[in-house]
């Protein structure tokens, strides 16, 4: 074989270098990984996880491996109130939670926590889709840079669970009820005659068991999963609050998304919300049936009494919220117009 000249050798090795480099130029785009926090378990008894599971599946189908959302269940990344701040700062990308939790960043969300403002999950969904969700999203983006990308349902509305039988608001007089530590919740139950007592949920079981409180208000699925039904025997089925489940992403999290994939990301969130709403309804029915089978006695609220209490809230509670946050008045109008 004849010897290679220096010029021929250089041409040959240069070509080889190009050939070796070419595969690197055609490598697949890097995966964008986002961290998402939920306070509930990662199973089918969790309204938050059901939303995430469908979202992740839709995202995988539409963008492949270019975006991956990793879930951190059971509050692994911290208390929900702390996670809100971490999403704002960008150290956590996303979270799925109840709308009440974001009131620390957007106090106007108190509108959604007003007692008896919604009549059903269908009423919630109609209101959100008719503009309430988008108006809150615009406020959130202007205030924090974060974005609400999904609006789902919890499995049940919140009702009153007690040791003794409660069938009317007169029966609530001097009853100590654990409520969420927000002014709206406290005022709602003051108007209903109870003694509202804010207590962290991780202390609730013992508080009821030892008589610190006589009961609490919550949704059936949480009562079941937290075994609160072991310390109470009755439920006054008030359905006083239909609080939406929301998914929020921080400004930094959104900036990580490739611009060409952002529409697919948001579309997957919308589809997950629609799916989760449907599943939540059947899950809620199952939770109520399981509690009844386990010994909880349910006492439905009389429709005429519900209307009377709702009127009390409309007269004495709602005006304070819309006066303090005037931007919520058009949203309340949408809610009332969406009422069946």
């Amino acid at each position: 074989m004849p010897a290679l000249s220096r010029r021929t050798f250089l041409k040959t090795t240069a070509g080889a270098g190009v050939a070796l480099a070419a595969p690197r130029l055609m490598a697949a785009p890097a995966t964008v990984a986002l961290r998402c926090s939920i306070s509930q378990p990662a199973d089918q008894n969790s309204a938050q996880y059901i939303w995430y599971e469908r979202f992740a599946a839709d995202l995988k189908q539409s963008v492949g491996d270019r975006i991956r959302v990793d879930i951190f269940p059971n509050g692994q990344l911290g208390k929900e109130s702390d996670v809100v701040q971490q999403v704002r700062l960008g150290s956590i990308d996303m979270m799925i939670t109840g709308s009440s939790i974001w009131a620390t960043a957007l106090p106007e969300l108190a509108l959604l926590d007003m007692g008896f403002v919604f009549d059903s999950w269908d009423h919630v969904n109609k209101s959100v889709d008719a503009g309430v969700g988008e108006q809150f999203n615009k406020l959130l983006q202007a205030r924090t840079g974060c974005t609400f990308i999904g609006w789902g349902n919890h499995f049940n509305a919140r009702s009153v669970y007690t040791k003794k039988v409660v069938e009317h608001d007169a029966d609530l007089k001097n009853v100590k009820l654990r409520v969420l530590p927000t002014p709206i919740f406290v005022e709602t139950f003051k108007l209903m005659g109870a003694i509202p007592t804010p207590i962290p949920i991780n202390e609730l079981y013992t508080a009821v068991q030892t008589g610190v409180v006589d009961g609490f208000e919550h949704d059936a699925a949480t009562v079941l999963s937290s075994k609160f039904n072991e310390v109470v025997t009755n439920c006054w089925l008030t359905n006083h609050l239909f609080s939406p489940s929301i998914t929020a992403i921080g400004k930094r999290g959104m900036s990580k998304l490739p611009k060409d994939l952002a529409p697919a990301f948001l579309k997957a969130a919308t589809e997950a919300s629609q799916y989760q709403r449907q599943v939540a309804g059947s899950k809620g029915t199952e939770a109520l049936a399981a509690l009844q089978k386990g010994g909880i006695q349910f006492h439905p609220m009389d429709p005429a009494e519900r209307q009377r209490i709702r009127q009390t809230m409309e007269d004495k509670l709602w005006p304070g919220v819309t006066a303090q946050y005037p931007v919520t008045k058009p949203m309340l109008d949408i809610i009332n117009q969406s009422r069946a």
Side-chain angles (χ1 to χ4, degrees):
M1 180 177 179
L4 292 174
S5 68
R6 184 172 181 275
R7 177 176 293 180
T8 302
F9 174 79
L10 290 173
K11 285 183 178 179
T12 302
T13 54
V18 170
L20 289 173
R24 283 197 290 270
L25 293 174
M26 303 195 50
T31 297
V32 173
L34 303 177
R35 298 198 306 162
C36 180
S37 173
I38 63 173
S39 62
Q40 297 175 352
D43 60 37
Q44 296 303 305
N45 293 315
S46 162
Q48 296 172 358
Y49 184 74
I50 286 174
W51 189 97
Y52 162 78
E53 186 178 49
R54 181 56 177 253
F55 171 70
D58 286 350
L59 198 59
K60 174 78 172 178
Q61 186 175 23
S62 60
V63 305
D65 295 326
R66 292 191 61 189
I67 303 175
R68 188 184 77 238
V69 179
D70 298 323
I71 194 76
F72 293 83
N74 296 313
Q76 292 177 19
L77 300 183
K79 295 187 302 182
E80 288 185 307
S81 57
D82 294 336
V83 173
V84 167
Q85 300 307 315
Q86 295 305 310
V87 171
R88 293 182 64 178
L89 293 171
S91 53
I92 297 173
D93 300 299
M94 297 171 56
M95 75 180 298
I96 309 169
T97 184
S99 58
S100 307
I101 302 302
W102 273 86
T104 54
L106 192 66
E108 290 87 348
L109 283 165
L111 178 77
L112 303 181
D113 288 339
M114 297 191 309
F116 299 91
V117 71
F118 292 114
D119 296 331
S120 65
W121 287 118
D122 184 56
H123 185 197
V124 173
N125 298 335
K126 284 181 179 178
S127 302
V128 166
D129 296 343
V132 171
E134 183 54 32
Q135 289 187 42
F136 273 125
N137 187 43
K138 287 179 179 178
L139 284 175
L140 184 73
Q141 289 178 331
R143 191 83 48 84
T144 68
C146 301
T147 302
F148 290 144
I149 62 171
W151 292 83
N153 298 161
H154 290 296
F155 289 166
N156 305 96
R158 297 173 83 99
S159 287
V160 174
Y161 291 82
T162 52
K163 293 179 178 179
K164 74 169 194 174
V165 174
V166 173
E167 297 182 281
H168 305 284
D169 56 346
D171 301 329
L172 272 185
K173 187 175 182 180
N174 297 324
V175 172
K176 293 179 290 184
L177 280 185
R178 182 268 176 182
V179 300
L180 282 174
T182 68
I184 290 294
F185 275 78
V186 171
E187 190 59 30
T188 294
F189 283 94
K190 277 185 179 179
L191 289 172
M192 291 176 68
I195 302 174
T197 309
I199 292 176
I201 194 167
N202 60 335
E203 300 175 15
L204 178 53
Y205 188 103
T206 302
V208 179
Q209 189 177 46
T210 58
V212 173
V213 292
D214 305 309
F216 52 87
E217 55 82 43
H218 226 301
D219 66 277
T222 299
V223 173
L224 188 64
S225 63
S226 301
K227 299 183 178 180
F228 294 149
N229 54 309
E230 294 178 352
V231 292
V232 294
T233 53
N234 293 276
C235 172
W236 186 28
L237 207 57
T238 55
N239 292 329
H240 57 270
L241 183 65
F242 294 82
S243 177
S245 172
I246 57 174
T247 302
I249 183 170
K251 183 177 181 179
R252 185 177 178 186
M254 280 294 289
S255 70
K256 293 179 182 179
L257 301 176
K259 289 185 178 180
D260 62 316
L261 300 186
F265 182 87
L266 296 175
K267 182 181 179 183
T270 299
E271 291 176 349
S273 298
Q274 296 296 331
Y275 170 79
Q276 191 265 4
R277 292 174 184 181
Q278 296 174 7
V279 175
S282 59
K283 289 285 186 178
T285 301
E286 292 171 10
L288 288 169
L291 286 178
Q292 188 169 33
K293 185 177 180 180
I296 293 290
Q297 297 295 312
F298 286 95
H299 311 283
M301 176 179 266
D302 179 76
E305 185 171 16
R306 179 182 180 86
Q307 181 58 35
R308 174 175 57 79
I309 295 175
R310 180 185 174 277
Q311 190 62 53
T312 298
M313 300 298 166
E314 187 171 357
D315 293 341
K316 298 183 178 181
L317 180 66
W318 301 0
V321 174
T322 55
Q324 186 175 5
Y325 308 112
V327 71
T328 63
K329 180 59 171 65
M331 299 187 210
L332 181 58
D333 291 341
I334 292 174
I335 291 171
N336 286 329
Q337 291 162 10
S338 300
R339 197 177 304 278

